[in-house]
Structure formats: C-alpha cells, structure tokens
Amino acid sequence: MTDKYAVIGNPVSHSKSPLIHAMFARQTGQDIAYEAILAPLQGFAETLAQLRSTGYCGCNITVPFKFEACKLATQLTERGKAAQAVNTLKLEDSWLLGDNTDGVGLVRDISRSLLLQGKRVLLLGAGGAAYGVILPLLQAGASLTVVNRTVEKSQKLQTAFDGKVDICSYPELPGKQFDCVINATSSGLSKEMPDLPVAIFDAGAMAYDLMYGTETPFMKFSRQHGATIVMDGLGMLVEQAAESFFLWRGVRPETTAIIKALRNPQ
Ligand code: ATR
C-alpha cells in the first residue's frame, strides 16, 4: 500500500517539497505519495489530527506552523528541542515525533565545499531560522558568533544555547573576519542588506544565504567583497528533505543529482 505524506503550511502552493519527495521516491523505489496541504492559520492542530486519522505516516511543516508543531509533538529529537521548532513530524498511533532537519541540511550542503570543524562562522539573525541551524553547526565543530540588529534577541539566544555561541552587535563587527558567513535573517525578502563591513570575509571564505530562488543583496555583497564561494539555500532545501525522508523511510536519497536537476530544469 502507498504510504501518505504531506507538507502543511500557509501559504504552501510555492513549496518544492512535493517535487523533491517525488524525485526521492522515484530514485529509491519507495512507495509513497506526498502532497501539499494548506491549513487555515488558526487550524493547524485540526488539520494535523485529520491527517493522523486518515492514515498519513508523516509530514513536513512550514511557515507559520513550525512552533505550533513543536508544541504538539509528544517526543522531540535533540535537534527539535534546540530549535524550539520542528519541520518534520513522524505520525504514529499514540505518539508524534518532532524533528528539525533544517540545520543538518545546511551543514551537509556547506560540507560539500567547506569543512566546518574549527572554522569561524558568523550567523546573521536571531529569529526562528537561526535557532533551527545552531545545534548542527556547533556539532560540526564550528566556532559560532551570532550577530543581530536587536541585541536582546541574540542575548536570549545565547542563553538558550548555554553560552556555546558568542554574540556581538553589527557596530562591533569591523576588524573581525570569518571563514563562513551565513545569512539567517529575513533581509532578502525585503531586498535589504544587513550592515556588514566590507572586510568581513577571510581568504577563501564562504557566504551562504538560507534563501533560494533569487540572488539576495547579501549574496551580491559577498561576491563583491571577497567571498570565494557564494551559495543560496537550494542545496539546504534538498538536504533537509532528504533527512526527513530518512527519518520516515530509513533510506537516504542521493542528493547531488537532484540539486543539479532543480537548478537546471529541462
Ligand atoms: P525567521 O523565522 O525567518 O528567522 P524572524 O523570527 O522574524 O524570522 O527573524 C527575522 C530575523 O531577521 C531577525 O533576526 C531580524 O533582526 P531583528 O531581530 O533585529 O529584527 C533579522 N533581519 C530582518 N531584516 C534585517 C536587516 N535588514 N538587517 C539585519 N537583520 C535583519
């Protein structure tokens, strides 16, 4: 019997997850169906209950339901707990496992080009996207500094991660250099550029934007000011999906060809 999965969001019609999971299913021979489901803004819990009662095996969660999904989960992985938000649920009769695969997806994509162990990494932002990627970055051995416009939020984040990240403000950045700068702010959505000094990249540094689909002002700035590798978040999107697929099916899809196919659609 075909096992059913879905991504739940609002909006959700733009989601590439159905396409990616269909490609995974074809590649691995797993018999699954995967669809996008629009939940009313006040109706996530009801939508989820409906999926459970109709035999769905798992779902991905996207904006704005990741925090609510975290609260509804009856068990959380270490990554889900640290992120305080989940993008993946495994549905069983009596329990609901919540995981966050965003951070491991980011680390896998970065690791194609840069070994994070011992590297100085600057993370821009202290919102939900930043929380989602911190634990896997620390576990990969990065030495992590978080910078945020609103300093109270980075202080709160530092406490949540038991002081394992350094924090600073934008005015404190000049004079500091990093091997990797990751944009986890929402600045790209409004075509804005976080206030970075031009000498922020050390030799051979990488710039990574969690957004994908367009070249953000951050990516443009990074190309102009010495980043050797500039990446958008498409690889992370595929890698986080692969980790969800693995959690549900116990089979790990091969991602390189799929990222390539999404970048260069026929
Ligand atoms: P998300 O869940 O995508 O992280 P969020 O929780 O609203 O969304 O957080 C957005 C983040 O982007 C915040 O860290 C925000 O900084 P503030 O906390 O100071 O508002 C950051 N951000 C948005 N626009 C920015 C800009 N132009 N420059 C720097 N940081 C920006």
mmCIF file with all atom_site columns, all heavy atoms in Angstrom, residues 67 125-130 148-150 153 170 184-187 190 192-195, ligand 1:
data_model
loop_
_atom_site.group_PDB
_atom_site.id
_atom_site.type_symbol
_atom_site.label_atom_id
_atom_site.label_alt_id
_atom_site.label_comp_id
_atom_site.label_asym_id
_atom_site.label_entity_id
_atom_site.label_seq_id
_atom_site.pdbx_PDB_ins_code
_atom_site.Cartn_x
_atom_site.Cartn_y
_atom_site.Cartn_z
_atom_site.occupancy
_atom_site.B_iso_or_equiv
_atom_site.pdbx_formal_charge
_atom_site.auth_seq_id
_atom_site.auth_comp_id
_atom_site.auth_asym_id
_atom_site.auth_atom_id
_atom_site.pdbx_PDB_model_num
ATOM   1   N N   . PHE A 1 67  ? 6.443  26.304 15.045 1.00 0.00 ? 67  PHE A N   1
ATOM   2   C CA  . PHE A 1 67  ? 6.478  26.422 16.514 1.00 0.00 ? 67  PHE A CA  1
ATOM   3   C C   . PHE A 1 67  ? 5.319  25.641 17.136 1.00 0.00 ? 67  PHE A C   1
ATOM   4   O O   . PHE A 1 67  ? 5.493  24.945 18.131 1.00 0.00 ? 67  PHE A O   1
ATOM   5   C CB  . PHE A 1 67  ? 6.423  27.905 16.934 1.00 0.00 ? 67  PHE A CB  1
ATOM   6   C CG  . PHE A 1 67  ? 7.511  28.718 16.285 1.00 0.00 ? 67  PHE A CG  1
ATOM   7   C CD1 . PHE A 1 67  ? 7.242  29.563 15.220 1.00 0.00 ? 67  PHE A CD1 1
ATOM   8   C CD2 . PHE A 1 67  ? 8.824  28.611 16.736 1.00 0.00 ? 67  PHE A CD2 1
ATOM   9   C CE1 . PHE A 1 67  ? 8.255  30.285 14.608 1.00 0.00 ? 67  PHE A CE1 1
ATOM   10  C CE2 . PHE A 1 67  ? 9.844  29.336 16.135 1.00 0.00 ? 67  PHE A CE2 1
ATOM   11  C CZ  . PHE A 1 67  ? 9.552  30.165 15.056 1.00 0.00 ? 67  PHE A CZ  1
ATOM   12  N N   . GLY A 1 125 ? 21.379 36.997 12.294 1.00 0.00 ? 125 GLY A N   1
ATOM   13  C CA  . GLY A 1 125 ? 19.973 36.793 12.657 1.00 0.00 ? 125 GLY A CA  1
ATOM   14  C C   . GLY A 1 125 ? 19.827 36.003 13.941 1.00 0.00 ? 125 GLY A C   1
ATOM   15  O O   . GLY A 1 125 ? 20.694 35.183 14.285 1.00 0.00 ? 125 GLY A O   1
ATOM   16  N N   . ALA A 1 126 ? 18.720 36.265 14.640 1.00 0.00 ? 126 ALA A N   1
ATOM   17  C CA  . ALA A 1 126 ? 18.451 35.546 15.896 1.00 0.00 ? 126 ALA A CA  1
ATOM   18  C C   . ALA A 1 126 ? 16.969 35.190 15.971 1.00 0.00 ? 126 ALA A C   1
ATOM   19  O O   . ALA A 1 126 ? 16.378 35.135 17.045 1.00 0.00 ? 126 ALA A O   1
ATOM   20  C CB  . ALA A 1 126 ? 18.869 36.399 17.091 1.00 0.00 ? 126 ALA A CB  1
ATOM   21  N N   . GLY A 1 127 ? 16.363 34.947 14.796 1.00 0.00 ? 127 GLY A N   1
ATOM   22  C CA  . GLY A 1 127 ? 14.959 34.531 14.739 1.00 0.00 ? 127 GLY A CA  1
ATOM   23  C C   . GLY A 1 127 ? 14.863 33.016 14.600 1.00 0.00 ? 127 GLY A C   1
ATOM   24  O O   . GLY A 1 127 ? 15.837 32.285 14.842 1.00 0.00 ? 127 GLY A O   1
ATOM   25  N N   . GLY A 1 128 ? 13.701 32.552 14.176 1.00 0.00 ? 128 GLY A N   1
ATOM   26  C CA  . GLY A 1 128 ? 13.456 31.113 14.074 1.00 0.00 ? 128 GLY A CA  1
ATOM   27  C C   . GLY A 1 128 ? 14.445 30.397 13.160 1.00 0.00 ? 128 GLY A C   1
ATOM   28  O O   . GLY A 1 128 ? 14.891 29.282 13.460 1.00 0.00 ? 128 GLY A O   1
ATOM   29  N N   . ALA A 1 129 ? 14.798 31.026 12.051 1.00 0.00 ? 129 ALA A N   1
ATOM   30  C CA  . ALA A 1 129 ? 15.718 30.375 11.102 1.00 0.00 ? 129 ALA A CA  1
ATOM   31  C C   . ALA A 1 129 ? 17.084 30.153 11.746 1.00 0.00 ? 129 ALA A C   1
ATOM   32  O O   . ALA A 1 129 ? 17.720 29.107 11.547 1.00 0.00 ? 129 ALA A O   1
ATOM   33  C CB  . ALA A 1 129 ? 15.853 31.234 9.839  1.00 0.00 ? 129 ALA A CB  1
ATOM   34  N N   . ALA A 1 130 ? 17.528 31.114 12.568 1.00 0.00 ? 130 ALA A N   1
ATOM   35  C CA  . ALA A 1 130 ? 18.830 30.980 13.239 1.00 0.00 ? 130 ALA A CA  1
ATOM   36  C C   . ALA A 1 130 ? 18.781 29.853 14.269 1.00 0.00 ? 130 ALA A C   1
ATOM   37  O O   . ALA A 1 130 ? 19.660 28.980 14.296 1.00 0.00 ? 130 ALA A O   1
ATOM   38  C CB  . ALA A 1 130 ? 19.213 32.304 13.896 1.00 0.00 ? 130 ALA A CB  1
ATOM   39  N N   . ASN A 1 148 ? 23.023 40.141 15.655 1.00 0.00 ? 148 ASN A N   1
ATOM   40  C CA  . ASN A 1 148 ? 21.640 40.519 15.378 1.00 0.00 ? 148 ASN A CA  1
ATOM   41  C C   . ASN A 1 148 ? 21.441 41.998 15.639 1.00 0.00 ? 148 ASN A C   1
ATOM   42  O O   . ASN A 1 148 ? 22.086 42.582 16.500 1.00 0.00 ? 148 ASN A O   1
ATOM   43  C CB  . ASN A 1 148 ? 20.676 39.710 16.257 1.00 0.00 ? 148 ASN A CB  1
ATOM   44  C CG  . ASN A 1 148 ? 19.264 39.756 15.720 1.00 0.00 ? 148 ASN A CG  1
ATOM   45  O OD1 . ASN A 1 148 ? 19.060 39.502 14.524 1.00 0.00 ? 148 ASN A OD1 1
ATOM   46  N ND2 . ASN A 1 148 ? 18.289 40.074 16.556 1.00 0.00 ? 148 ASN A ND2 1
ATOM   47  N N   . ARG A 1 149 ? 20.574 42.604 14.818 1.00 0.00 ? 149 ARG A N   1
ATOM   48  C CA  . ARG A 1 149 ? 20.251 44.028 14.994 1.00 0.00 ? 149 ARG A CA  1
ATOM   49  C C   . ARG A 1 149 ? 19.738 44.291 16.401 1.00 0.00 ? 149 ARG A C   1
ATOM   50  O O   . ARG A 1 149 ? 20.227 45.168 17.094 1.00 0.00 ? 149 ARG A O   1
ATOM   51  C CB  . ARG A 1 149 ? 19.114 44.395 14.015 1.00 0.00 ? 149 ARG A CB  1
ATOM   52  C CG  . ARG A 1 149 ? 19.537 45.090 12.788 1.00 0.00 ? 149 ARG A CG  1
ATOM   53  C CD  . ARG A 1 149 ? 18.373 45.467 11.925 1.00 0.00 ? 149 ARG A CD  1
ATOM   54  N NE  . ARG A 1 149 ? 17.114 44.739 12.138 1.00 0.00 ? 149 ARG A NE  1
ATOM   55  C CZ  . ARG A 1 149 ? 16.112 44.715 11.299 1.00 0.00 ? 149 ARG A CZ  1
ATOM   56  N NH1 . ARG A 1 149 ? 16.207 45.372 10.163 1.00 0.00 ? 149 ARG A NH1 1
ATOM   57  N NH2 . ARG A 1 149 ? 15.014 44.057 11.566 1.00 0.00 ? 149 ARG A NH2 1
ATOM   58  N N   . THR A 1 150 ? 18.761 43.499 16.825 1.00 0.00 ? 150 THR A N   1
ATOM   59  C CA  . THR A 1 150 ? 18.197 43.656 18.158 1.00 0.00 ? 150 THR A CA  1
ATOM   60  C C   . THR A 1 150 ? 19.001 42.784 19.113 1.00 0.00 ? 150 THR A C   1
ATOM   61  O O   . THR A 1 150 ? 18.883 41.564 19.113 1.00 0.00 ? 150 THR A O   1
ATOM   62  C CB  . THR A 1 150 ? 16.718 43.203 18.161 1.00 0.00 ? 150 THR A CB  1
ATOM   63  O OG1 . THR A 1 150 ? 16.075 43.796 17.031 1.00 0.00 ? 150 THR A OG1 1
ATOM   64  C CG2 . THR A 1 150 ? 16.005 43.584 19.424 1.00 0.00 ? 150 THR A CG2 1
ATOM   65  N N   . LYS A 1 153 ? 17.669 40.003 21.503 1.00 0.00 ? 153 LYS A N   1
ATOM   66  C CA  . LYS A 1 153 ? 17.310 38.684 20.940 1.00 0.00 ? 153 LYS A CA  1
ATOM   67  C C   . LYS A 1 153 ? 18.527 37.773 20.847 1.00 0.00 ? 153 LYS A C   1
ATOM   68  O O   . LYS A 1 153 ? 18.431 36.568 21.073 1.00 0.00 ? 153 LYS A O   1
ATOM   69  C CB  . LYS A 1 153 ? 16.644 38.857 19.568 1.00 0.00 ? 153 LYS A CB  1
ATOM   70  C CG  . LYS A 1 153 ? 15.158 39.158 19.714 1.00 0.00 ? 153 LYS A CG  1
ATOM   71  C CD  . LYS A 1 153 ? 14.515 39.603 18.432 1.00 0.00 ? 153 LYS A CD  1
ATOM   72  C CE  . LYS A 1 153 ? 14.265 38.495 17.445 1.00 0.00 ? 153 LYS A CE  1
ATOM   73  N NZ  . LYS A 1 153 ? 13.588 39.016 16.233 1.00 0.00 ? 153 LYS A NZ  1
ATOM   74  N N   . TYR A 1 170 ? 26.230 44.611 15.295 1.00 0.00 ? 170 TYR A N   1
ATOM   75  C CA  . TYR A 1 170 ? 26.798 45.000 13.992 1.00 0.00 ? 170 TYR A CA  1
ATOM   76  C C   . TYR A 1 170 ? 27.925 46.043 14.135 1.00 0.00 ? 170 TYR A C   1
ATOM   77  O O   . TYR A 1 170 ? 28.966 45.897 13.480 1.00 0.00 ? 170 TYR A O   1
ATOM   78  C CB  . TYR A 1 170 ? 25.695 45.483 13.044 1.00 0.00 ? 170 TYR A CB  1
ATOM   79  C CG  . TYR A 1 170 ? 24.902 44.334 12.431 1.00 0.00 ? 170 TYR A CG  1
ATOM   80  C CD1 . TYR A 1 170 ? 23.698 43.913 12.983 1.00 0.00 ? 170 TYR A CD1 1
ATOM   81  C CD2 . TYR A 1 170 ? 25.384 43.661 11.318 1.00 0.00 ? 170 TYR A CD2 1
ATOM   82  C CE1 . TYR A 1 170 ? 22.979 42.861 12.435 1.00 0.00 ? 170 TYR A CE1 1
ATOM   83  C CE2 . TYR A 1 170 ? 24.676 42.605 10.766 1.00 0.00 ? 170 TYR A CE2 1
ATOM   84  C CZ  . TYR A 1 170 ? 23.475 42.208 11.319 1.00 0.00 ? 170 TYR A CZ  1
ATOM   85  O OH  . TYR A 1 170 ? 22.786 41.149 10.777 1.00 0.00 ? 170 TYR A OH  1
ATOM   86  N N   . ALA A 1 184 ? 20.917 34.130 8.048  1.00 0.00 ? 184 ALA A N   1
ATOM   87  C CA  . ALA A 1 184 ? 19.663 33.537 8.515  1.00 0.00 ? 184 ALA A CA  1
ATOM   88  C C   . ALA A 1 184 ? 18.682 34.639 8.890  1.00 0.00 ? 184 ALA A C   1
ATOM   89  O O   . ALA A 1 184 ? 17.787 34.430 9.702  1.00 0.00 ? 184 ALA A O   1
ATOM   90  C CB  . ALA A 1 184 ? 19.930 32.618 9.705  1.00 0.00 ? 184 ALA A CB  1
ATOM   91  N N   . THR A 1 185 ? 18.857 35.836 8.315  1.00 0.00 ? 185 THR A N   1
ATOM   92  C CA  . THR A 1 185 ? 17.875 36.913 8.529  1.00 0.00 ? 185 THR A CA  1
ATOM   93  C C   . THR A 1 185 ? 16.835 36.841 7.409  1.00 0.00 ? 185 THR A C   1
ATOM   94  O O   . THR A 1 185 ? 17.019 36.144 6.408  1.00 0.00 ? 185 THR A O   1
ATOM   95  C CB  . THR A 1 185 ? 18.516 38.321 8.481  1.00 0.00 ? 185 THR A CB  1
ATOM   96  O OG1 . THR A 1 185 ? 18.819 38.649 7.111  1.00 0.00 ? 185 THR A OG1 1
ATOM   97  C CG2 . THR A 1 185 ? 19.777 38.417 9.318  1.00 0.00 ? 185 THR A CG2 1
ATOM   98  N N   . SER A 1 186 ? 15.770 37.603 7.600  1.00 0.00 ? 186 SER A N   1
ATOM   99  C CA  . SER A 1 186 ? 14.756 37.680 6.552  1.00 0.00 ? 186 SER A CA  1
ATOM   100 C C   . SER A 1 186 ? 15.016 38.881 5.644  1.00 0.00 ? 186 SER A C   1
ATOM   101 O O   . SER A 1 186 ? 14.149 39.285 4.879  1.00 0.00 ? 186 SER A O   1
ATOM   102 C CB  . SER A 1 186 ? 13.366 37.775 7.192  1.00 0.00 ? 186 SER A CB  1
ATOM   103 O OG  . SER A 1 186 ? 13.358 38.821 8.146  1.00 0.00 ? 186 SER A OG  1
ATOM   104 N N   . SER A 1 187 ? 16.236 39.448 5.700  1.00 0.00 ? 187 SER A N   1
ATOM   105 C CA  . SER A 1 187 ? 16.538 40.679 4.959  1.00 0.00 ? 187 SER A CA  1
ATOM   106 C C   . SER A 1 187 ? 16.352 40.518 3.444  1.00 0.00 ? 187 SER A C   1
ATOM   107 O O   . SER A 1 187 ? 15.953 41.461 2.770  1.00 0.00 ? 187 SER A O   1
ATOM   108 C CB  . SER A 1 187 ? 17.977 41.129 5.246  1.00 0.00 ? 187 SER A CB  1
ATOM   109 O OG  . SER A 1 187 ? 18.893 40.129 4.846  1.00 0.00 ? 187 SER A OG  1
ATOM   110 N N   . SER A 1 190 ? 12.986 41.531 1.827  1.00 0.00 ? 190 SER A N   1
ATOM   111 C CA  . SER A 1 190 ? 12.727 42.955 1.588  1.00 0.00 ? 190 SER A CA  1
ATOM   112 C C   . SER A 1 190 ? 13.869 43.604 0.807  1.00 0.00 ? 190 SER A C   1
ATOM   113 O O   . SER A 1 190 ? 13.975 44.833 0.775  1.00 0.00 ? 190 SER A O   1
ATOM   114 C CB  . SER A 1 190 ? 12.515 43.664 2.931  1.00 0.00 ? 190 SER A CB  1
ATOM   115 O OG  . SER A 1 190 ? 13.503 43.260 3.846  1.00 0.00 ? 190 SER A OG  1
ATOM   116 N N   . GLU A 1 192 ? 16.908 43.871 1.440  1.00 0.00 ? 192 GLU A N   1
ATOM   117 C CA  . GLU A 1 192 ? 17.801 44.695 2.262  1.00 0.00 ? 192 GLU A CA  1
ATOM   118 C C   . GLU A 1 192 ? 19.108 43.958 2.490  1.00 0.00 ? 192 GLU A C   1
ATOM   119 O O   . GLU A 1 192 ? 19.190 42.746 2.322  1.00 0.00 ? 192 GLU A O   1
ATOM   120 C CB  . GLU A 1 192 ? 17.152 44.991 3.619  1.00 0.00 ? 192 GLU A CB  1
ATOM   121 C CG  . GLU A 1 192 ? 15.964 45.913 3.528  1.00 0.00 ? 192 GLU A CG  1
ATOM   122 C CD  . GLU A 1 192 ? 15.168 45.965 4.829  1.00 0.00 ? 192 GLU A CD  1
ATOM   123 O OE1 . GLU A 1 192 ? 15.593 45.359 5.832  1.00 0.00 ? 192 GLU A OE1 1
ATOM   124 O OE2 . GLU A 1 192 ? 14.113 46.602 4.810  1.00 0.00 ? 192 GLU A OE2 1
ATOM   125 N N   . MET A 1 193 ? 20.109 44.723 2.928  1.00 0.00 ? 193 MET A N   1
ATOM   126 C CA  . MET A 1 193 ? 21.427 44.157 3.185  1.00 0.00 ? 193 MET A CA  1
ATOM   127 C C   . MET A 1 193 ? 21.772 44.384 4.652  1.00 0.00 ? 193 MET A C   1
ATOM   128 O O   . MET A 1 193 ? 21.808 45.530 5.110  1.00 0.00 ? 193 MET A O   1
ATOM   129 C CB  . MET A 1 193 ? 22.437 44.863 2.257  1.00 0.00 ? 193 MET A CB  1
ATOM   130 C CG  . MET A 1 193 ? 23.887 44.501 2.516  1.00 0.00 ? 193 MET A CG  1
ATOM   131 S SD  . MET A 1 193 ? 24.197 42.745 2.293  1.00 0.00 ? 193 MET A SD  1
ATOM   132 C CE  . MET A 1 193 ? 25.596 42.525 3.384  1.00 0.00 ? 193 MET A CE  1
ATOM   133 N N   . PRO A 1 194 ? 22.022 43.317 5.420  1.00 0.00 ? 194 PRO A N   1
ATOM   134 C CA  . PRO A 1 194 ? 22.497 43.508 6.799  1.00 0.00 ? 194 PRO A CA  1
ATOM   135 C C   . PRO A 1 194 ? 23.774 44.352 6.794  1.00 0.00 ? 194 PRO A C   1
ATOM   136 O O   . PRO A 1 194 ? 24.537 44.320 5.820  1.00 0.00 ? 194 PRO A O   1
ATOM   137 C CB  . PRO A 1 194 ? 22.776 42.079 7.278  1.00 0.00 ? 194 PRO A CB  1
ATOM   138 C CG  . PRO A 1 194 ? 21.928 41.213 6.410  1.00 0.00 ? 194 PRO A CG  1
ATOM   139 C CD  . PRO A 1 194 ? 21.885 41.901 5.073  1.00 0.00 ? 194 PRO A CD  1
ATOM   140 N N   . ASP A 1 195 ? 24.004 45.058 7.880  1.00 0.00 ? 195 ASP A N   1
ATOM   141 C CA  . ASP A 1 195 ? 25.049 46.085 7.907  1.00 0.00 ? 195 ASP A CA  1
ATOM   142 C C   . ASP A 1 195 ? 26.437 45.472 8.161  1.00 0.00 ? 195 ASP A C   1
ATOM   143 O O   . ASP A 1 195 ? 27.022 45.653 9.222  1.00 0.00 ? 195 ASP A O   1
ATOM   144 C CB  . ASP A 1 195 ? 24.669 47.089 9.012  1.00 0.00 ? 195 ASP A CB  1
ATOM   145 C CG  . ASP A 1 195 ? 25.476 48.358 8.907  1.00 0.00 ? 195 ASP A CG  1
ATOM   146 O OD1 . ASP A 1 195 ? 26.138 48.554 7.857  1.00 0.00 ? 195 ASP A OD1 1
ATOM   147 O OD2 . ASP A 1 195 ? 25.477 49.134 9.886  1.00 0.00 ? 195 ASP A OD2 1
HETATM 148 P P1  . ATR B 2 .   ? 12.767 33.860 10.748 1.00 0.00 ? 1   ATR B P1  1
HETATM 149 O O1  . ATR B 2 .   ? 11.873 32.853 11.384 1.00 0.00 ? 1   ATR B O1  1
HETATM 150 O O2  . ATR B 2 .   ? 12.851 33.833 9.260  1.00 0.00 ? 1   ATR B O2  1
HETATM 151 O O3  . ATR B 2 .   ? 14.126 33.873 11.385 1.00 0.00 ? 1   ATR B O3  1
HETATM 152 P P2  . ATR B 2 .   ? 12.046 36.173 12.314 1.00 0.00 ? 1   ATR B P2  1
HETATM 153 O O4  . ATR B 2 .   ? 11.909 35.354 13.544 1.00 0.00 ? 1   ATR B O4  1
HETATM 154 O O5  . ATR B 2 .   ? 11.041 37.254 12.027 1.00 0.00 ? 1   ATR B O5  1
HETATM 155 O O6  . ATR B 2 .   ? 12.057 35.282 11.010 1.00 0.00 ? 1   ATR B O6  1
HETATM 156 O O7  . ATR B 2 .   ? 13.508 36.819 12.335 1.00 0.00 ? 1   ATR B O7  1
HETATM 157 C C1  . ATR B 2 .   ? 13.969 37.623 11.320 1.00 0.00 ? 1   ATR B C1  1
HETATM 158 C C2  . ATR B 2 .   ? 15.450 37.915 11.591 1.00 0.00 ? 1   ATR B C2  1
HETATM 159 O O8  . ATR B 2 .   ? 15.985 38.668 10.509 1.00 0.00 ? 1   ATR B O8  1
HETATM 160 C C3  . ATR B 2 .   ? 15.699 38.717 12.854 1.00 0.00 ? 1   ATR B C3  1
HETATM 161 O O9  . ATR B 2 .   ? 16.896 38.272 13.445 1.00 0.00 ? 1   ATR B O9  1
HETATM 162 C C4  . ATR B 2 .   ? 15.839 40.144 12.306 1.00 0.00 ? 1   ATR B C4  1
HETATM 163 O O10 . ATR B 2 .   ? 16.592 41.001 13.107 1.00 0.00 ? 1   ATR B O10 1
HETATM 164 P P3  . ATR B 2 .   ? 15.872 41.768 14.358 1.00 0.00 ? 1   ATR B P3  1
HETATM 165 O O11 . ATR B 2 .   ? 15.650 40.723 15.413 1.00 0.00 ? 1   ATR B O11 1
HETATM 166 O O12 . ATR B 2 .   ? 16.839 42.788 14.776 1.00 0.00 ? 1   ATR B O12 1
HETATM 167 O O13 . ATR B 2 .   ? 14.596 42.334 13.788 1.00 0.00 ? 1   ATR B O13 1
HETATM 168 C C5  . ATR B 2 .   ? 16.584 39.857 11.034 1.00 0.00 ? 1   ATR B C5  1
HETATM 169 N N1  . ATR B 2 .   ? 16.509 40.918 10.000 1.00 0.00 ? 1   ATR B N1  1
HETATM 170 C C6  . ATR B 2 .   ? 15.476 41.212 9.186  1.00 0.00 ? 1   ATR B C6  1
HETATM 171 N N2  . ATR B 2 .   ? 15.794 42.215 8.334  1.00 0.00 ? 1   ATR B N2  1
HETATM 172 C C7  . ATR B 2 .   ? 17.089 42.555 8.596  1.00 0.00 ? 1   ATR B C7  1
HETATM 173 C C8  . ATR B 2 .   ? 18.008 43.517 8.050  1.00 0.00 ? 1   ATR B C8  1
HETATM 174 N N3  . ATR B 2 .   ? 17.659 44.329 7.038  1.00 0.00 ? 1   ATR B N3  1
HETATM 175 N N4  . ATR B 2 .   ? 19.257 43.571 8.578  1.00 0.00 ? 1   ATR B N4  1
HETATM 176 C C9  . ATR B 2 .   ? 19.626 42.763 9.587  1.00 0.00 ? 1   ATR B C9  1
HETATM 177 N N5  . ATR B 2 .   ? 18.796 41.837 10.154 1.00 0.00 ? 1   ATR B N5  1
HETATM 178 C C10 . ATR B 2 .   ? 17.559 41.728 9.660  1.00 0.00 ? 1   ATR B C10 1
#
